[in-house]
Amino acid sequence: MCQDPTRRALILTALATGACLASSSPCIAEEDLPGSNERPQKGDVLVFAEGDRAGEVIKPQDLQAGGPPVRAWPKDPKTSVVRKGSRLNEVLVVKLEPAELDEETRSRAAGGVVAYSAICVHTGCPITAWVKAAGGDKDVFKCVCHNSEYDPRQGAQVVFGPAPRRLPALPLAMDDGSLTVAATFIGKVGAQQAR
């Protein structure tokens, strides 16, 4: 047993500091990786943002036809950096019947799979629901903060609620069986700034 109170305090402080550093450094290191704050880039792959498969590459067969959507992050395939340093990079990925998509949406889809920003354009809340539309029988994205609804089949246009514009789309492509980013976001991500 350590009888010297100064030595004992020093040892306990060192242990506590070590435990703190051990538990927080992976989080700090991951957020600080160069490129983690950059917006999705052409050629990035999409990976699961949550759940048991978080970080794994998303393939079309991983998605249930007709939804629900999955939350995803873009990942640089060259550096393996997941671009989750900004919440504005999170996307909703949903697999729909290609025939249901309007022409413009179909041109940005990869075999019926579409991706949109997961951030509501009204006040910047995360979009968390997949529900029957208030004015129809199809499932739509819904922001439960103020009830804005977006139809992913029609370019995520607003079909209900106060949102002032559609969700930004992230064009997709298929590369070696994986979903990849075909171009940067179409539209401004996040809420409109007050002037």
Side-chain angles (χ1 to χ4, degrees):
M1 292 295 288
C2 183
Q3 299 299 324
D4 181 2
T6 306
R7 183 173 171 210
R8 183 172 148 177
L10 185 62
I11 291 171
L12 289 174
T13 302
L15 287 172
T17 302
C20 179
L21 289 174
S23 66
S24 63
S25 12
C27 296
I28 292 168
E30 210 169 278
E31 289 173 8
D32 290 342
L33 289 175
S36 65
N37 285 340
E38 291 178 14
R39 294 287 170 262
Q41 308 290 311
K42 183 176 181 176
D44 283 355
V45 294
L46 294 181
V47 298
F48 288 97
E50 58 193 9
D52 294 343
R53 299 187 62 192
E56 287 183 28
V57 174
I58 300 172
K59 298 183 184 292
Q61 59 267 28
D62 296 328
L63 303 170
Q64 183 179 329
V70 299
R71 300 182 91 73
W73 295 111
K75 176 181 175 180
D76 184 332
K78 295 178 188 108
T79 64
S80 295
V81 171
V82 177
R83 300 188 197 281
K84 62 181 181 176
S86 170
R87 71 186 200 100
L88 299 179
N89 290 343
E90 191 171 23
V91 292
L92 298 169
V93 182
V94 65
K95 184 177 190 178
L96 301 167
E97 182 58 46
E100 289 184 313
L101 306 179
D102 67 21
E103 190 174 325
E104 186 179 348
T105 303
R106 197 174 313 115
S107 72
R108 296 189 293 257
V113 180
V114 292
Y116 297 98
S117 171
I119 305 299
C120 182
V121 299
H122 178 232
T123 61
C125 295
I127 294 170
T128 57
W130 178 247
V131 299
K132 292 280 182 226
D137 62 343
K138 293 187 178 183
D139 289 325
V140 294
F141 300 133
K142 181 172 185 162
C143 176
V144 297
C145 289
H146 301 98
N147 296 318
S148 290
E149 295 179 357
Y150 305 89
D151 186 352
R153 294 161 196 80
Q154 298 177 0
Q157 74 177 5
V158 180
V159 292
F160 185 81
R165 58 190 165 86
R166 64 183 62 218
L167 290 175
L170 188 65
L172 298 179
M174 288 290 287
D175 185 20
D176 210 18
S178 300
L179 294 170
T180 61
V181 176
T184 57
F185 277 115
I186 297 171
K188 181 184 179 321
V189 178
Q192 200 76 9
Q193 299 298 316
R195 292 184 182 191

